[in-house]
Amino acid sequence: MSPFDAYLHTILMEGGIEARRHGSATVEAQHLLLAIAAEEGTIPQRVLASAGLDHQAISAALDREFDHSLSTVGVSRASFDLPRPSGTPKRPPALGATAKLAVERGFASVSRKKDLRPANLLLGILRAEVGTVPRALALAGVDRTDLLTRVQNAIANDTIERNDATE
Amino acid sequence: MPASDIPVPQAADDALAAVVALRRLADQLEDAAVEQAMRAGWSWPQVAEALGVTRQAVHRKHAKRLIDAGVNLRRRSP
């Protein structure tokens, strides 16, 4: 298994745990983003942190997006006083449409599969121009274009280091 | 509230995001409401009928989670 495959596997597994924690039947792009931010010591995690996006900040941004989107139709989570459901399904949630797109975009960002770096997955998530993730980032005041540049630079540096190491 | 009182988002992205958020809220509400009903002694057919879905659908979606959570489920309807 290549380092990228191992990383992808970890993020998909951890993304599944995030999805279950959020009561989602499917793993979506935002769950992968949360998993990436939680994977300490990895390049994508460091890139996110350099833009002020740790796991907690992303989680807060997603909550804010949820509340904001509900408010546009006059709905507030605060008006529901039902207890939190207990227990989560043991079955791992399936990959949802937004997560599939993010993975596809990550793979499409290189011409050869062996050029894939962990940050390519983050690139795939951040390339989405519409949907929950870009909305949450915009509401949190994150400049997505600047973040994409940081990710691309990190991929370039990672590739140079990898090539130096193999020479 | 009357339909005219429901705010309609002006921007398409807000309107689409509201759909996503409402579906998510409905899923969360369903998890909590089904658990509440089952803890109160409702049967699967009653919960299914109240939700307007088949009993197979509601069982498939919630049974394992509620059993794992230790909810005492009724086997038969009265």
Side-chain angles (χ1 to χ4, degrees), chain B residues 9-29:
Chain B
Q10 294 302 306
D13 60 344
D14 279 341
L16 294 168
V19 174
V20 177
L22 285 170
R23 282 197 183 125
R24 191 177 148 201
L25 185 65
D27 281 344
Q28 292 177 357
L29 203 55

Side-chain angles (χ1 to χ4, degrees), chain A residues 18-118:
Chain A
E18 293 286 354
R20 269 183 293 207
R21 193 176 295 153
H22 289 86
S24 172
T26 50
V27 186
E28 299 297 341
Q30 60 267 34
H31 305 128
L32 300 184
L33 184 62
L34 285 166
I36 287 172
E39 214 50 33
E40 294 286 338
T42 59
I43 290 173
Q45 178 264 324
R46 287 204 293 268
V47 175
L48 286 172
S50 76
L53 292 170
D54 59 11
H55 185 275
Q56 198 185 347
I58 294 169
S59 192
L62 289 167
D63 275 351
R64 203 169 150 205
E65 193 281 330
F66 188 35
D67 286 328
H68 174 77
S69 295
L70 288 175
S71 75
T72 64
V73 282
V75 176
S76 161
R77 266 196 292 174
S79 44
F80 295 92
D81 198 21
L82 279 171
R84 251 186 99 79
S86 50
T88 46
K90 289 276 185 292
R91 200 152 29 99
L95 216 54
T98 59
K100 281 182 190 162
L101 253 184
V103 173
E104 278 168 26
R105 286 187 175 128
F107 275 83
S109 63
V110 292
S111 46
R112 295 170 306 177
K113 190 175 179 291
K114 73 184 181 77
D115 292 336
L116 282 169
R117 299 289 175 265

Side-chain angles (χ1 to χ4, degrees), chain A residues 1-29:
Chain A
M1 199 188 269
S2 74
F4 176 80
D5 287 338
Y7 176 78
L8 179 62
H9 180 77
T10 303
I11 297 304
L12 292 178
M13 287 296 114
E14 295 296 320
I17 294 168
E18 293 286 354
R20 269 183 293 207
R21 193 176 295 153
H22 289 86
S24 172
T26 50
V27 186
E28 299 297 341

